[in-house]
């Protein structure tokens, strides 16, 4: 997901609007007329393509403020760049709490940074809500009651792909190319757990670094195994390269990519639509670049939002849509708070969501939370790219079940 205008945004992140305040203003104490929200994002560094999440969240809260705020309070969204570094994420989080006096941390990106800040935030009793990570370690209600995930867990997503392979290709050879970090490891762990005895069919797996310069060599090695199933677990910019490389080698296995890479605009199209035809994934949000949603009312609202509040060159960024959906979910929590925006009540309302469906979620995807359930979204749909659009197949899958049971 290449972030259009990223450098301009980074230079202006502290000066634009209520969605990104200057240091002078952010030093001011919080008032009863605003809700201060802290956020940490990789606007620079190896994962900067996901900075689009924070950009969209800032724009979403600008829209909310233009409509009068939430229960009479304006949102002050203060987002900082951690350069994809966990130590920086912790330090920035401390500053947001101790200098900027935020009510809560929301939507910070990545497993390492959120894990680094988790103990501090729980000791301070600061809500760490809807973190942008699918690591189950960030949804441990009993151990860390102030930290809550948002999206389906990476392990559960991995199990979905394993279940698909078991159902359709139980005797075929499998290769896996996975990103060598907690994100990639958790996805691959879910696949291994789900495959069980069928792990014997995984003939080769290769771990790669985010800036790996040897993707062509990796894909060549995997092709030579004669595998029928190619599972890719990583980011969209790498997925597009890998799909294109496989096609250039005249290798056309059953191609499975993880949800974060399943973007038409940011992975399938750059790889070549013909090369990408047949790719399998699992999803819980609509793809803004999918023509299937052109007449969908929620997506029309999305494009109107992008035109008015988040004017970038492309409106088809899936990371931006993720940020929009997460911000919509937090807005629901804050609406439920009424006049009590204490940290305790914010957490109480976050654990009281009942069948809330983000407008840009796929049909029948719902958020449900409780004091013991810190995984708000547990459902996904298997989808296949037909060269133009994602086609869903099968039922909505409840990922909380170890066997990925269909609802």
């Amino acid at each position: 997901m290449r972030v259009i205008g990223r450098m301009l945004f980074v230079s202006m992140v502290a000066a634009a609007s209520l969605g990104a305040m200057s240091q002078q203003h952010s030093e001011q104490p919080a008032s009863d007329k605003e809700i201060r929200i802290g956020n940490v994002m990789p606007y620079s560094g190896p994962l900067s393509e996901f900075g689009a999440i924070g950009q969209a969240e800032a724009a979403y809260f600008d829209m909310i403020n233009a409509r009068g705020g939430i229960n009479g309070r304006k949102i002050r969204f203060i987002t900082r760049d951690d350069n994809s570094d966990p130590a920086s994420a912790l330090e920035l989080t401390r500053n947001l709490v101790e200098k900027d006096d935020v009510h809560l941390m929301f939507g910070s990106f990545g497993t390492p940074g959120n894990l680094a800040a988790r103990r501090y935030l729980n000791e301070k009793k600061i809500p760490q809500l809807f973190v942008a990570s699918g690591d189950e370690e960030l949804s441990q209600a009993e151990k860390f009651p102030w930290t809550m995930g948002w999206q389906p867990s990476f392990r559960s997503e991995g199990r979905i792909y394993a279940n698909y392979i078991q159902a359709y290709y139980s005797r075929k050879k499998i290769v896996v190319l996975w990103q060598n970090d907690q994100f990639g490891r958790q996805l691959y762990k879910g696949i291994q757990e789900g495959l069980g005895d069928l792990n014997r069919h995984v003939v080769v797996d290769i771990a790669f670094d985010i800036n790996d310069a040897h993707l062509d060599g990796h894909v060549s090695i995997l092709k030579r195994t004669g595998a029928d199933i190619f599972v890719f677990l990583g980011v969209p910019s790498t997925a597009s390269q890998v799909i294109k490389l496989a096609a250039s080698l005249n290798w056309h296995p059953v191609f499975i990519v993880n949800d974060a890479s399943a973007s038409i605009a940011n992975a399938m199209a750059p790889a070549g639509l013909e090369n990408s035809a047949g790719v399998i994934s699992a999803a819980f949000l609509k793809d803004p670049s999918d023509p299937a949603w052109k007449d969908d009312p929620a997506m029309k609202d999305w494009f109107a939002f992008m035109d008015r509040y988040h004017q970038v060159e492309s409106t088809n960024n899936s990371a931006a849509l993720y940020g929009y959906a997460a911000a919509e979910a937090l807005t629901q929590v804050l609406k439920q708070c009424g006049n009590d925006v204490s940290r305790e009540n914010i957490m109480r309302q976050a654990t009281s969501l009942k069948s809330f469906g983000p407008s840009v979620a796929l049909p029948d995807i719902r958020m449900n939370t409780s004091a013991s359930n810190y995984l708000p979204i547990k459902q996904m749909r298997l989808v296949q790219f037909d060269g133009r659009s994602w086609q869903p197949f099968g039922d909505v899958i409840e990922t909380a079940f170890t066997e990925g049971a269909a609802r």
Side-chain angles (χ1 to χ4, degrees):
M1 303 172 190
R2 307 203 190 296
V3 182
I4 305 300
R6 179 172 61 232
M7 295 310 297
L8 176 62
F9 175 77
V10 172
S11 67
M12 297 176 64
V13 70
S17 66
L18 284 178
M21 298 303 296
S22 70
Q23 186 64 30
Q24 178 182 358
H25 287 170
S26 65
E27 293 284 355
Q28 296 174 357
S31 74
D32 60 0
K33 297 298 183 182
E34 66 182 16
I35 303 171
R36 291 192 173 213
I37 300 171
N39 171 270
V40 175
M41 278 282 151
Y43 294 114
S44 59
L47 295 171
S48 58
E49 59 191 289
F50 293 105
I53 295 173
Q55 287 181 281
E57 289 166 348
Y60 187 92
F61 293 125
D62 284 343
M63 178 182 69
I64 292 297
N65 288 334
R67 295 175 177 178
I70 299 174
N71 299 328
R73 290 181 170 85
K74 294 297 181 72
I75 299 298
R76 194 175 295 272
F77 182 68
I78 309 170
T79 183
R80 301 286 188 247
D81 179 14
D82 70 356
N83 192 237
S84 304
D85 177 62
S88 295
L90 175 57
E91 183 62 25
L92 290 167
T93 298
R94 286 180 179 273
N95 288 338
L96 285 163
V97 171
E98 296 170 14
K99 295 182 179 180
D100 299 310
D101 194 25
V102 296
H103 288 76
L104 71 152
M105 293 296 297
F106 155 70
S108 293
F109 179 85
T111 301
N114 278 297
L115 288 176
R118 179 178 62 175
R119 185 170 296 280
Y120 167 78
L121 291 170
N122 276 262
E123 288 175 351
K124 290 285 187 179
K125 297 185 178 180
I126 310 293
Q128 185 183 17
L129 285 183
F130 301 161
V131 298
S133 167
D135 196 302
E136 292 173 350
E137 282 297 310
L138 292 162
S139 298
Q140 303 296 315
E142 185 174 345
K143 293 181 180 178
F144 297 97
W146 295 85
T147 298
M148 179 180 285
W150 186 65
Q151 68 193 69
S153 82
F154 296 142
R155 282 179 63 201
S156 294
E157 183 183 346
R159 294 188 75 101
I160 290 173
Y161 303 134
N163 293 339
Y164 171 75
I165 292 169
Q166 286 178 322
Y168 294 96
Y169 303 102
S170 61
R171 298 186 180 183
K172 300 295 186 180
K173 291 193 291 185
I174 307 163
V175 291
V176 184
L177 184 62
W178 55 281
Q179 191 167 296
N180 190 19
D181 56 16
Q182 285 174 287
F183 161 64
R185 281 191 290 274
Q186 286 294 307
L187 281 163
Y188 190 25
K189 183 177 182 180
I191 289 174
Q192 291 172 310
E193 291 172 344
L195 286 177
D197 290 343
L198 291 185
N199 275 296
R200 67 185 184 274
H201 294 311
V202 178
V203 291
V204 174
D205 73 273
I206 298 176
F208 68 93
D209 295 328
I210 189 71
N211 292 319
D212 200 315
H214 305 290
L215 289 174
D216 54 346
H218 299 334
V219 175
S220 180
I221 289 170
L222 296 175
K223 180 195 176 184
R224 289 199 296 270
T225 66
D228 308 286
I229 315 293
F230 185 174
V231 180
F232 172 83
L233 309 172
V235 299
S237 55
T238 310
S240 66
Q241 295 178 62
V242 169
I243 294 169
K244 186 181 292 186
L245 284 167
S248 72
L249 295 172
N250 197 29
W251 183 32
H252 304 286
V254 175
F255 220 121
I256 297 173
V257 304
N258 57 292
D259 173 46
S261 290
S263 166
I264 296 174
N266 305 114
M268 304 301 114
L273 295 177
E274 183 177 343
N275 297 334
S276 302
V279 167
I280 301 287
S281 189
F284 66 101
L285 297 176
K286 298 166 184 174
D287 186 335
S289 51
D290 192 331
W293 303 114
K294 67 177 182 178
D295 296 322
D296 179 70
M299 293 307 295
K300 287 183 177 179
D301 289 344
W302 155 261
F303 289 116
F305 156 79
M306 292 291 280
D307 288 342
R308 182 169 182 181
Y309 295 100
H310 192 30
Q311 296 173 359
V312 293
E313 185 174 321
S314 173
T315 59
N316 290 331
N317 194 310
S318 292
L321 187 96
Y322 177 107
Y324 176 95
E328 184 181 21
L330 181 66
T331 297
Q332 175 65 25
V333 170
L334 296 176
K335 285 179 179 178
Q336 291 179 193
C337 286
N339 292 323
D340 181 2
V341 290
S342 65
R343 288 161 175 161
E344 292 79 6
N345 193 42
I346 290 172
M347 209 66 219
R348 187 179 305 119
Q349 298 308 320
T351 59
S352 303
L353 292 169
K354 305 298 181 188
S355 296
F356 175 72
S359 62
V360 293
L362 291 176
D364 299 321
I365 302 295
R366 296 288 183 269
M367 293 177 61
N368 288 282
T369 59
S370 70
S372 60
N373 170 20
Y374 273 34
L375 280 169
I377 301 177
K378 306 180 193 65
Q379 302 154 318
M380 301 188 85
R381 294 290 305 270
L382 279 166
V383 292
Q384 184 170 34
F385 188 60
D386 66 4
R388 180 175 178 270
S389 177
W390 289 107
Q391 299 297 328
F393 62 96
D395 296 326
V396 170
I397 299 168
E398 179 66 68
T399 63
F401 293 110
T402 57
E403 296 303 321
R407 290 184 58 187

